[in-house]
Amino acid sequence: MHTALDPDRCYPALLARDARFDGVWFVAVRTTGVYCRPICRVRPPKRENCSFFPTAALAEAAHFRPCLKCRPELAPAARRWSAMDATEVLAREAARWLDECAPETASLPALPALPALAAHLGVSERHVRRVFTAVHGVGPLQYLQTRRLLLAKHLLTDTTLPVGEVALAAGFGSLRRFNAAFAEHYQLKPSALRRHLDDAPAPTPDTVELRLDLRPPLLGHALLQFLAARAVPGVEHVDLDAMTVLRSVRLSRPNAEDLLGWVQVRLPPDDAERPQLRVRLSASLWPAIATLMPRLRRWLDLDADPAAIATALGEELGSPATGLRLPGTLDRFELAIRAVLGQQVTVAAARTLATRLITRFGEALPATLGAPDGVTHAFPPPERLAAATVDDIASLGLPARRAQALITLAQRWPTLAFAQGRGEVATAIAELTELPGLGPWTAHYMLMRGWSWPDAFPPSDVVLKQRMEQRAQRPLKPSEVLAAAEPYAPYRSYAVLQLWREAAQSADPRSSRQATARKATPTTAPSTARETAPKQRTPSNTRRPGVLS
């Protein structure tokens, strides 16, 4: 539940500009009417002039406006995944839906999104308002309005998009409403944030860069190595020398055609004092930036708390994992299909199967999108695979039973809680394991990356068992492996990543931290490491997991 912050604890962190609290709370200064991030570089205000708020929405509800220097819209979000209270789960899901809902379904100020949100959650509008306000401190309207205004401020500052396009991309129904809301809350005209661009050359939409902040440190090279080992040619391309990842994007929209485009992210060096990512988008995706932005952050785990994770993992595991990120996904359906494709085969074999799938069922990106070299196709949508025959998919090199599992998954996709990001983890796992060909390991992996679930520990994983036995210096039963991992909660997913990383480094010394200084290339990524059980004949729904795909 929403609780008041203790100024006696917050103020020393403000004086120290402690990055651990960036996005966890904001400081508002009564003498200026401005609220800032804890890392703001301006001279610290006096203690008696400060008020502390856990969210930007609460600060703006108290009539403070965002700082133009530290830019609260760039702050990483505070993730609270460990809450098990049903009220908090409902409020978290409501906030996630508001974060990702398309602008055409959540325009301000009328907020037709509230009935749609209530219908999505299966509760009444009154219950949504009550629960949301109790947990977040503000109602859904104020929360969404703050998010839209901060997104608009971000776009006005970092891009040259026309103000009218910024208003629509941020979710406002008209330029007039946007101007009125911006002036009322920020006491500025939107054009005032464009003065620094007056003399700058006008870039094209697909060369504009957005900035994304995070809590340091960031093991960017490890993140890109993970993605490089699984990058499917034509859909995703990773350049470890340039520290960039490029991939195609498909965004589904209600009552409209899918949006196709591409996104490129450049990561900072691992030793950067203040790591900041740079993002480029195809012009086709700018109208959907409100939907895409939170997905980008989850894809690269930009809201992680490295200090809390390292503390939970302990000195032995946490120290080398400090700054490690949990790779998510921009497309849950793609992740789910590739997880099934990768069962009981190597990473390289899984990538080969995914490449064949793209060649057969993928959609070529239009030339008008101007995609950089390395990206040519978008992953097929669920309806395309749902309409395929078993023979069509088996011809890719898959057993008939696994081909049928892929078709069933595609056919059931619109109704799955996993697809909608709705419900509790246990419910989603039970729903997934009821599908033919999906066992517990695959379900845990899908949630670990598809929901960015930080506390997954895939059962029966051979590599995890081996690494935990090495630490215990004795053989362990499966129940003992799970018990040994319990101290890593609520961040067991990061322990999983670090243990897999250790195994990959042991199998391929070139992928160790010492070798990264020698400019590793995608061919040196740990693609040969066996991350799970070897191939064996078992029933489809109880089979042991395959490798990560």
Side-chain angles (χ1 to χ4, degrees):
M1 297 293 181
H2 165 60
T3 56
L5 297 176
D6 183 357
D8 292 333
R9 295 189 176 186
C10 294
Y11 191 69
L14 174 65
L15 295 179
R17 298 188 175 94
D18 196 329
R20 293 176 299 173
F21 299 99
D22 188 18
V24 177
W25 47 260
F26 298 86
V27 56
V29 185
R30 287 187 287 272
T31 53
T32 63
V34 169
Y35 72 94
C36 300
R37 299 159 67 180
I39 61 170
C40 190
R41 306 303 297 180
V42 301
R43 186 174 65 180
K46 294 181 178 179
R47 165 66 182 80
E48 58 269 21
N49 294 328
C50 294
S51 298
F52 298 91
F53 296 94
T55 66
L58 277 170
E60 295 201 5
H63 307 293
F64 291 94
R65 60 187 184 276
C67 176
L68 297 179
K69 293 185 179 293
C70 66
R71 300 183 58 189
E73 70 271 16
L74 297 182
R79 291 198 321 191
R80 299 179 178 87
W81 255 100
S82 59
M84 297 303 295
D85 179 79
T87 297
E88 292 197 28
V89 170
L90 183 68
R92 184 190 70 216
E93 290 183 15
R96 183 205 60 78
W97 190 90
L98 290 173
D99 285 342
E100 293 192 10
C101 62
E104 60 265 25
T105 65
S107 58
L108 291 170
L111 193 65
L114 190 55
L117 172 60
H120 171 75
L121 297 174
V123 298
S124 68
E125 294 180 39
R126 179 180 179 184
H127 188 60
V128 170
R129 288 193 190 96
R130 182 177 63 81
V131 169
F132 198 98
T133 303
V135 173
H136 296 288
V138 295
L141 173 58
Q142 179 65 52
Y143 179 92
L144 184 57
Q145 188 175 52
T146 298
R147 181 186 179 278
R148 298 303 193 196
L149 286 170
L150 288 177
L151 174 59
K153 182 176 178 293
H154 192 175
L155 297 178
L156 288 168
T157 305
D158 280 3
T159 78
T160 56
L161 292 175
V163 175
E165 292 185 20
V166 168
L168 293 176
F172 291 88
S174 70
L175 180 58
R176 180 183 60 80
R177 291 175 179 173
F178 169 61
N179 286 333
F182 205 90
E184 177 185 356
H185 284 77
Y186 296 163
Q187 301 176 22
L188 285 173
K189 292 182 178 180
S191 58
L193 297 178
R194 286 287 170 84
R195 291 171 182 165
H196 68 290
L197 298 175
D198 288 345
D199 299 326
T204 59
D206 57 2
T207 62
V208 172
E209 287 189 338
L210 281 176
R211 287 179 280 179
L212 297 179
D213 277 5
L214 49 87
R215 298 181 189 92
L218 168 68
L219 291 182
H221 199 274
L223 173 61
L224 290 182
Q225 279 187 317
F226 186 97
L227 296 175
R230 294 153 184 84
V232 177
V235 171
E236 190 171 36
H237 176 71
V238 179
D239 187 333
L240 291 176
D241 288 338
M243 292 292 285
T244 60
V245 54
L246 166 71
R247 66 155 297 130
S248 61
V249 176
R250 176 189 296 276
L251 291 179
S252 299
R253 299 182 296 169
N255 305 317
E257 293 184 357
D258 293 351
L259 278 181
L260 296 181
W262 54 266
V263 58
Q264 184 180 54
V265 181
R266 185 170 76 251
L267 277 66
D270 287 356
D271 58 355
E273 181 178 353
R274 184 183 174 185
Q276 193 173 66
L277 282 70
R278 302 282 177 156
V279 179
R280 291 174 55 211
L281 304 175
S282 61
S284 60
L285 295 179
W286 284 110
I289 188 63
T291 298
L292 186 59
M293 185 70 77
R295 298 187 188 187
L296 287 172
R297 298 196 65 86
R298 278 204 308 276
W299 175 38
L300 302 174
D301 199 15
L302 303 186
D303 297 325
D305 187 341
I309 293 167
T311 299
L313 300 191
E315 182 65 26
E316 181 184 13
L317 200 60
S319 293
T322 302
L324 196 64
R325 304 289 159 152
L326 175 60
T329 183
L330 291 177
D331 186 340
R332 289 194 184 105
F333 179 69
E334 176 185 338
L335 175 70
I337 293 296
R338 293 183 60 181
V340 177
L341 284 176
Q343 290 180 141
Q344 302 179 348
V345 297
T346 64
V347 171
R351 187 167 58 179
T352 297
L353 291 173
T355 302
R356 294 173 184 169
L357 183 77
I358 296 300
T359 303
R360 181 71 178 274
F361 298 100
E363 182 174 355
L365 295 180
T368 55
L369 294 181
D373 293 340
V375 171
T376 58
H377 286 73
F379 200 83
E383 54 270 20
R384 187 167 300 173
L385 293 185
T389 66
V390 172
D391 289 342
D392 288 338
I393 295 183
S395 65
L396 304 177
L398 290 171
R401 294 184 65 179
R402 190 166 303 170
Q404 182 60 62
L406 290 175
I407 294 172
T408 302
L409 177 60
Q411 291 172 342
R412 291 280 307 276
W413 187 255
T415 64
L416 293 178
F418 171 75
Q420 302 170 29
R422 182 181 67 184
E424 298 182 3
V425 165
T427 302
I429 289 176
E431 187 180 49
L432 289 171
T433 52
E434 288 176 357
L435 297 174
L438 269 72
W441 188 97
T442 305
H444 277 72
Y445 173 65
M446 287 167 61
L447 286 163
M448 183 174 78
R449 293 192 61 194
W451 276 14
S452 298
W453 180 28
D455 201 29
F457 199 85
S460 304
D461 186 287
V462 169
V463 168
L464 295 182
K465 184 175 184 293
Q466 292 172 346
R467 304 305 296 183
M468 297 299 282
E469 286 177 339
Q470 288 182 11
R471 282 171 163 73
Q473 297 183 346
R474 65 179 180 87
L476 297 176
K477 299 177 180 178
S479 59
E480 292 177 318
V481 174
L482 292 176
E486 189 63 32
Y488 302 143
Y491 296 112
R492 285 179 292 182
S493 294
Y494 295 89
V496 169
L497 286 177
Q498 179 58 23
L499 292 170
W500 282 339
R501 186 171 171 234
E502 289 178 357
Q505 291 172 348
S506 298
D508 184 0
R510 292 174 300 173
S511 63
S512 66
R513 294 188 67 179
Q514 292 77 12
T516 60
R518 298 196 294 269
K519 290 188 177 182
T521 65
T523 58
T524 66
S527 61
T528 59
R530 298 287 297 197
E531 292 176 324
T532 52
K535 185 184 295 185
Q536 53 186 295
R537 298 182 182 275
T538 55
S540 62
N541 201 37
T542 59
R543 62 171 54 121
R544 284 196 170 187
V547 302
L548 288 173
S549 57

